Amino acid sequence: MTARTIHLPVAARPSIADIVSLAQLAEERGYRRAWLPETWGRDAATVLSAIAERTDDIGIGPSILNVYSRSPALVGQTAASLQELSDGRLRLGIGPSGPAVIEGWHGQSFERPLRRTREYVEIVRQVLSGETVNYSGDVFTVGGFRLRSDPPEEPVSIDAAGMGPKSVELAGRFADGWHALMLTPDGIRDRLEDLRRGAELGDRDPDDVRVTLSTTCAVSEDGERARRLARQHLAFYVGAMGTFYREALSRQGYEDTAEAVATAWGNGDQEGAIEAIGDDLLDDLGAVGTPERAREQVRKFENIEGVDRVAVSFPRGAEQDELEATIDALAPEN
């Protein structure tokens, strides 16, 4: 049965306490896990620590830590610490991100993202085992590293994020789960074929690879306000965050829309970019509008065979009360 999780806001909130309060509300409403994005705001480890300390049962996890700005040994240490602090509630999400973030913000060369992600998974697993890590790969060489603390009693599952066929295949072959985003129902079905192929290449059962689909959700009694927020969010990611979101939409049959959004945004016409996102794309990618309509749309994603978790995520421009209203409206018991 598909379970419902929450993907905490990507936009900066007024305080860490505001983020924690959303995780607490999600726990009260029956969501299974609170995922926290790490972009250009507060770092994930600090905020997840606060959430772990102020909640009891809800799972936690970063979605995602990129594989360029920290070493895999450090991420292994961080995962071990968060697993201890949360009493075994951590699930680790990693991925390569993209050139705009890695080269523009972190000053690293965006080279060999797939190979780097694979080696990252392997090294982090070795670190978390508590054994001495001696690893010689194409990207990383690690010698003699070992945790000084005891390894986690509860193993930490490692999920890989990906949008393209090869990155999804990699998740199926090497990771414990796959994080999917900006995918239509038909789009995720196509990528699930890549996941199954990767699992077969790794001699694994595809059912053992957990699939989490992050879906943009905005709920308001004013349905048009909710849809406007979602359009703004999608326009920003397609227009301002490099080419891979645009390419993902193109693979799913929305090439003209993706190009129109990117062109308008690149010309400084943000309003034109927002208006280029039609109702068909909005309904294909998210659950937005009145409570009744949004609940129906979430169930559409949950009914896709092969999707294990739907993560309720939020548009960048949503206010705290709108976030809380969406959490309430899309709570699992609803």
Side-chain angles (χ1 to χ4, degrees), residues 106-303:
H106 295 289
Q108 304 295 315
S109 178
F110 190 71
E111 295 179 348
R112 306 191 69 181
L114 296 180
R115 182 69 196 188
R116 190 179 185 97
T117 301
R118 171 184 170 173
E119 293 188 12
Y120 220 86
V121 170
E122 293 171 341
I123 295 169
V124 171
R125 278 209 183 107
Q126 289 188 29
V127 170
L128 290 168
S129 75
E131 301 300 320
T132 301
V133 180
N134 291 300
Y135 185 93
S136 180
D138 292 343
V139 177
F140 294 105
T141 299
V142 181
F145 181 92
R146 184 174 182 176
L147 284 175
R148 295 184 66 183
S149 56
D150 291 335
E153 293 183 10
E154 181 73 22
V156 178
S157 296
I158 305 173
D159 294 351
M163 300 178 74
K166 287 299 182 182
S167 61
V168 177
E169 181 183 294
L170 181 146
R173 189 173 182 181
F174 299 105
D176 299 306
W178 167 45
H179 277 229
L181 73 160
M182 205 171 283
L183 288 171
T184 69
D186 287 342
I188 195 166
R189 291 185 184 101
D190 289 342
R191 296 289 74 79
L192 284 167
E193 294 180 11
D194 301 320
L195 188 80
R196 285 189 283 271
R197 181 173 61 253
E200 291 167 2
L201 288 171
D203 196 23
R204 310 169 71 199
D205 184 344
D207 291 339
D208 291 337
V209 184
R210 179 180 291 180
V211 175
T212 299
L213 172 62
S214 180
T215 303
T216 301
C217 301
V219 178
S220 174
E221 293 297 339
D222 180 356
E224 286 308 309
R225 161 69 179 172
R227 295 177 74 79
R228 170 77 180 182
L229 285 170
R231 281 191 172 89
Q232 290 172 329
H233 181 83
L234 293 172
F236 173 79
Y237 273 87
V238 175
M241 294 298 289
T243 62
F244 49 101
Y245 293 105
R246 187 189 325 165
E247 292 165 355
L249 289 186
S250 296
R251 283 192 295 268
Q252 298 173 84
Y254 286 99
E255 182 176 4
D256 290 345
T257 299
E259 289 300 324
V261 172
T263 299
W265 194 281
N267 290 332
D269 182 10
Q270 295 187 10
E271 191 60 35
I274 293 166
E275 291 177 356
I277 296 172
D279 287 331
D280 54 346
L281 176 57
L282 199 63
D283 291 336
D284 233 2
L285 285 179
V288 297
T290 62
E292 295 77 14
R293 182 172 186 176
R295 280 193 285 266
E296 180 181 347
Q297 290 173 320
V298 163
R299 287 191 286 270
K300 171 184 66 180
F301 292 105
E302 290 178 330
N303 289 333

